[in-house]
Every structure is written in structure tokens, then in C-alpha cells.
């Protein structure tokens, strides 16, 4: 899912008419000081990363003066949380909190629902997992018409909201429901939203995740990449997104897996489908090899799309091998993969990665023809001293034998690494 940082989500909430604290993001201590001066009172300085538990990580601080805001901003901007560097802080007014609440709109994928769902609790400002089940109320929301006022009033009343505040809560929740739909959200969580001493309801935090498939309808969001990534996007992630964004035929998913381009034992990993991907990871894990990336070309993509993904995988520097993991009896026509792989290996191996281990497993629809395409198209490379001397091709007889595939890749990669070291590369 495409995710917003807190300050970005709050900006879009404000544009939709939702109440948010006065504040702006800052990238430097000097900017944080200027924003605190503009606010003109005590402020909260909040590190902006895609990670939960920011308070426990020490990147949310309350201060009284602009000078203090600059000091804590410098401290927070120097931190890393869950491997993610803090590049911005949100400086916003300190709120007069009377009571904290929790609400979120998510997708209820249950067969009997298949709709948005509102979760609401009077116990806000804490991990939702810690809230007792009987204090977390849930209601499915009509996907066409959104949350209706009478349903919002009923939900708030059941939760224990005071009668004089029911109309206020209903207005807040129904407006948030409209925002959820307007922005094509998968998740819109406000934890907490608060009631001030004056009785106003304000979104004190915001977690907003957008459906990847809807990003094309929202150029105003300015997403460079609509992916749920484990860290900051890498060059490979941007390449993978450019492939998928411009060609919707089948799947062409490609992402970095934390590959540092230095450590040995990383394999360019190219599975075909989710189940196949798990088996391929098992093959690597059993022998101590690591995936440099994750790629997926399933859903019967055309050869040109498979070629772009495979070439990106194989172009990664310093990998010790390539695994095409078709560990499933796929119903897609596998000769598209065969044609694409032949073209890529003929381009990459002779000029860039002579002797790179390439274990190719293909099975399923058009298997015999596909294996013949691979063997014929790569035959002249697979000579004893040829650039494809470590290519091995397998079919359905090894579709469940992850141990064998892993051991072959390990043996070939050790041989390849030793050869490179002997050559001083």
C-alpha cells in the first residue's frame, strides 16, 4: 500500500475538512524553531517515519519554547527507528487534551462483509492490541454511501459517549468516512483523536494508507512509487515500479530486499507467483543463501515485461547467482518466460557476468516447449568455458524439491565466488 507520513496525511485530512492541529514539517532545527515561533506557544516535535511506537522510540517530544524546539528537532533528526532515518519532524501546537479516543476505517475482507469497517473505542492513545475486545466496537460501512449519521450515533452511544456529545461524534465520524472513500484509502486510522478542554474533536495523529491500484486516479498525491516497502525506496524499487506502472499485463513486481551489494551469498531472486516465491525462499534459506531482491512475474505477463524484470534482477552488482523459481505447476504459458530469459542471459552473461550461476526451474503449461526454448536458445553459452557454463535447467521433476535446487545453487555460487576471487575481481 502507498503510505503517507503523519504530516502528509494530516495535510490531506485538512483539505477534506477534518480538524487537525496547527503545524508544519521541518527538515532542520532552524526550520523547527521558525515553525514554533509561528505557532506561538508550546509545541510537539514529532519524528516522521513509517514506524509505530514513535513515543517509545523517543522521537516525540513536548517543548515550551522555539529554542527548545530546535534542540529536540536536532536530536530527533539524528535518530534511526527500525532502520529508517528520521528526515523530517512535524512541529505542531500542543493540544489541550481532555480525553483521547480511537477510530479507524479499514477493509473488512471477510466473505460476508467485503466492505469498509469502522473500529471505534473510548480507549485511544495506546496500542489498539491492548484495548479489551469489549471496548472496541466495530461496524461494517456501506461501500457506496459511507457511514450514515444514525449508525454513527448508535455506535458512539453503545461505546459510552455522553448524550450531549453524540451529534458531535457522529459528524466527525461520518466526515472521516467520506474522506476515507474520497482518497481511496485502505486504512485511515486516527489514534488518538482527542477532545479538547473546549469540547472540540481534533485528529491528533494520522495513519493513512492508499490502495495501490487507485494511485493513478490521484496524481495530486505525488507518489513516486506506490509500494509497501521495508525501508526507503532504492534504485531497484523505482525500476520495479516503473515496469509495473507502465505495463499492466500480468504481474511484474520487483523490490529490493535489503541487499547491500557487498556481502557475499546474495542471489538474484525471480519467482513466479506467491506460492512459488515461498518455496524458492525455502530453497535459499536451507543452504544459507540470501535473496538480493524479490521479483514476481505471474498472471501470464508477456515476454517483454518478464524481460524487463529479469534484466533488472540480473543487473544487480555482485550477486552470486540467479534463481528463476517456478515452483508451481503454473497454468500460464511458460514459454513467455523462456523467451525472455534466453534474451536476457544472452545479453548479460557474455558481457557483464561471465559464468554467473543460473538455476532455471520452469514447469506447468507449455513446459516441454519452454524447456526446449531454454536449452536450444542457450546451448552455445553452456559450453565448458562459455559464459553460461553454470546454467542448469529443470522441470516438473524438481517442482517440490527445494533442497536439491538450493544445494545446486549453493555449489555453483561457491564455485563462481572462488573463480572471481582467483581472478582478483
Amino acid at each position: 500500500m502507498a503510505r503517507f507520513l503523519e504530516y502528509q496525511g494530516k495535510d490531506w485530512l485538512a483539505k477534506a475538512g477534518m480538524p487537525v492541529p496547527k503545524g508544519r514539517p521541518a527538515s532542520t532545527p532552524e526550520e523547527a524553531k521558525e515553525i514554533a515561533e509561528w505557532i506561538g506557544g508550546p509545541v510537539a516535535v514529532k519524528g516522521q517515519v513509517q514506524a509505530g511506537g514513535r513515543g517509545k522510540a523517543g522521537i516525540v517530544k513536548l517543548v515550551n519554547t522555539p529554542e527548545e524546539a530546535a534542540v529536540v528537532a536536532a536530536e530527533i533528526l539524528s535518530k534511526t527507528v527500525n532502520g529508517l532515518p528520521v528526515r523530517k519532524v512535524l512541529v505542531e501546537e500542543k493540544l489541550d487534551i481532555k480525553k483521547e479516543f480511537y477510530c479507524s476505517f479499514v477493509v473488512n475482507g471477510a466473505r460476508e462483509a467485503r466492505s469498509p469497517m469502522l473500529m471505534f473505542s473510548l480507549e485511544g492513545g495506546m496500542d489498539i492490541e491492548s484495548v479489551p475486545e469489549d471496548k472496541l466496537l466495530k461496524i461494517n460501512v456501506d461501500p457506496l454511501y459511507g457511514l450514515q449519521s444514525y449508525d454513527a450515533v448508535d455506535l458512539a452511544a453503545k461505546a459510552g459517549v455522553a448524550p450531549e456529545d453524540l451529534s458531535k461524534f457522529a459528524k466527525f465520524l461520518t466526515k472521516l468516512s467520506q474522506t476515507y472513500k474520497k482518497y481511496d484509502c485502505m486504512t485511515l486510522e486516527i489514534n488518538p483523536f482527542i477532545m479538547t478542554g473546549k469540547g472540540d474533536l481534533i485528529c491528533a495523529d494520522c495513519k493513512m494508507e492508499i490502495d495501490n491500484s487507485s494511485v493513478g486516479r490521484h496524481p495530486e498525491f505525488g507518489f513516486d512509487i506506490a509500494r509497501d516497502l521495508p525501508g526507503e525506496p532504492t534504485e531497484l524499487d523505482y525500476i520495479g515500479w516503473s515496469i509495473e506502472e507502465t505495463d499492466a499485463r500480468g504481474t511484474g513486481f520487483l523490490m529490493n530486499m535489503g541487499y547491500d551489494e557487498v556481502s557475499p551469498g546474495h542471489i538474484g531472486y525471480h519467482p513466479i507467483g506467491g506460492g512459488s516465491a515461498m518455496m524458492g525462499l525455502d530453497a535459499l534459506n536451507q543452504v544459507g543463501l540470501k535473496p538480493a531482491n524479490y521479483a514476481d512475474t505471474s498472471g501470464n505477463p508477456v515476454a517483454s515485461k518478464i524481460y524487463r524484470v529479469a534484466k533488472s534482477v540480473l543487473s544487480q552488482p555482485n550477486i552470486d547467482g540467479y534463481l528463476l523459481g517456478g515452483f508451481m505447476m503454473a497454468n500460464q504459458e511458460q514459454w513467455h518466460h523462456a523467451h525472455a530469459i534466453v534474451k536476457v542471459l544472452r545479453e548479460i552473461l557474455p558481457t557483464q557476468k561471465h559464468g554467473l550461476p543460473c538455476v532455471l526451474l520452469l514447469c506447468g503449461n507449455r513446459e516441454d516447449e519452454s524447456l526446449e526454448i531454454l536449452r536450444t536458445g542457450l546451448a552455445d553459452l553452456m559450453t565448458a568455458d562459455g559464459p553460461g557454463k553454470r546454467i542448469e535447467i529443470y522441470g516438473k521433476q524438481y517442482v517440490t524439491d527445494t533442497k536439491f535446487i538450493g544445494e545446486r545453487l549453493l555449489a555453483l555460487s561457491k564455485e563462481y565466488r572462488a573463480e572471481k576471487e582467483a581472478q582478483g575481481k
Side-chain angles (χ1 to χ4, degrees):
M1 291 174 285
R3 295 179 175 180
F4 287 117
L5 291 167
E6 178 193 359
Y7 80 91
Q8 296 168 321
K10 283 181 172 176
D11 184 42
W12 289 107
L13 285 179
K15 291 175 180 176
M18 295 299 301
V20 300
K22 181 180 180 180
R24 292 202 304 258
S27 301
T28 66
E30 293 75 22
E31 289 179 355
K33 180 181 178 182
E34 292 175 2
I35 296 168
E37 290 172 343
W38 166 67
I39 291 173
V43 298
V45 183
K46 309 167 77 174
Q48 300 295 286
V49 289
Q50 298 286 7
R54 291 180 297 161
K56 296 176 182 177
I59 62 170
V60 177
K61 304 281 188 181
L62 297 174
V63 297
N64 294 314
T65 69
E67 290 74 22
E68 290 175 333
V71 171
V72 300
E75 176 188 342
I76 293 171
L77 289 167
S78 69
K79 290 182 177 289
T80 298
V81 180
N82 294 340
L84 301 172
V86 182
R87 303 197 185 279
K88 287 182 181 291
V89 294
L90 172 60
V91 183
E92 62 182 19
E93 63 178 313
K94 180 182 176 182
L95 298 170
D96 175 21
I97 300 175
K98 178 180 178 181
K99 171 68 177 168
E100 297 182 336
F101 308 91
Y102 171 89
C103 73
S104 70
F105 287 87
V106 296
V107 175
N108 184 350
R111 184 174 62 181
E112 66 275 10
R114 301 293 175 90
S115 69
M117 178 175 67
L118 167 61
M119 296 190 290
F120 175 79
S121 176
L122 301 185
E123 305 292 328
M126 60 190 296
D127 295 334
I128 191 60
E129 294 82 4
S130 302
V131 175
E133 187 68 24
D134 62 342
K135 294 188 183 232
L136 181 63
L137 279 69
K138 303 175 183 179
I139 181 175
N140 290 326
V141 178
D142 190 293
L144 292 179
Y145 301 106
L147 181 68
Q148 299 300 302
S149 294
Y150 49 81
D151 286 326
V153 168
D154 185 53
L155 183 72
K158 287 180 179 178
V161 172
E164 64 270 19
D165 292 325
L166 290 176
S167 177
K168 182 186 304 180
F169 274 78
K171 182 179 179 181
F172 180 92
L173 294 173
T174 54
K175 185 68 174 178
L176 196 63
S177 172
Q178 294 164 9
T179 304
Y180 178 85
K181 180 180 179 182
K182 176 181 179 180
Y183 292 149
D184 290 306
C185 295
M186 294 289 285
T187 300
L188 181 53
E189 179 182 83
I190 313 298
N191 186 30
F193 74 93
I194 64 104
M195 178 180 284
T196 68
K198 295 181 180 180
D200 298 325
L201 299 180
I202 298 179
C203 301
D205 201 353
C206 175
K207 176 182 178 182
M208 187 182 294
E209 298 175 338
I210 308 301
D211 184 349
N212 286 352
S213 300
S214 74
V215 168
R217 293 200 295 268
H218 295 284
E220 70 275 14
F221 290 159
F223 281 117
D224 292 327
I225 180 170
R227 287 276 167 81
D228 187 7
L229 301 171
E232 294 188 318
T234 66
E235 181 181 358
L236 184 67
D237 295 321
Y238 283 112
I239 291 171
W241 173 244
S242 71
I243 294 171
E244 190 70 356
E245 185 181 30
T246 57
D247 190 342
R249 297 173 294 179
T251 298
F253 190 87
L254 176 66
M255 64 181 288
N256 181 277
M257 292 285 285
Y259 176 43
D260 58 16
E261 301 183 7
V262 176
S263 304
H266 280 89
I267 302 299
Y269 183 43
H270 184 174
I272 306 172
S276 175
M278 298 302 292
M279 295 181 72
L281 286 173
D282 184 54
L284 297 176
N285 288 335
Q286 285 186 73
V287 297
L289 294 172
K290 301 176 287 293
N293 65 278
Y294 174 82
D296 176 14
T297 47
S298 58
N300 214 26
V302 294
S304 60
K305 188 171 186 178
I306 299 166
Y307 164 82
R308 294 173 69 190
V309 172
K311 189 162 188 178
S312 299
V313 172
L314 280 155
S315 296
Q316 295 176 101
N318 207 34
I319 56 174
D320 286 342
Y322 167 75
L323 172 60
L324 178 69
F327 288 95
M328 288 287 172
M329 299 294 286
N331 62 4
Q332 64 185 21
E333 295 178 329
Q334 297 288 38
W335 52 20
H336 298 308
H337 276 81
H339 284 301
I341 298 306
V342 167
K343 179 173 173 58
V344 170
L345 294 183
R346 296 193 67 85
E347 292 176 357
I348 295 285
L349 297 185
T351 60
Q352 301 175 38
K353 289 183 167 59
H354 191 285
L356 180 77
C358 298
V359 175
L360 313 177
L361 174 64
L362 270 184
C363 58
N365 194 13
R366 302 296 184 184
E367 177 181 340
D368 293 341
E369 296 94 330
S370 301
L371 296 178
E372 183 59 27
I373 290 168
L374 289 173
R375 295 186 182 111
T376 302
L378 299 171
D380 61 319
L381 301 185
M382 295 170 63
T383 59
D385 295 317
K389 60 185 177 182
R390 296 189 182 91
I391 295 174
E392 295 188 359
I393 301 169
Y394 300 101
K396 60 178 172 288
Q397 67 271 34
Y398 293 102
V399 67
T400 60
D401 198 345
T402 57
K403 182 179 180 181
F404 172 82
I405 295 296
E407 288 176 344
R408 290 307 307 144
L409 197 51
L410 177 63
L412 294 171
S413 64
K414 285 183 175 179
E415 184 182 293
Y416 175 67
R417 172 67 61 174
E419 181 179 88
K420 287 182 65 179
E421 291 175 352
Q423 295 171 353
K425 295 183 180 179

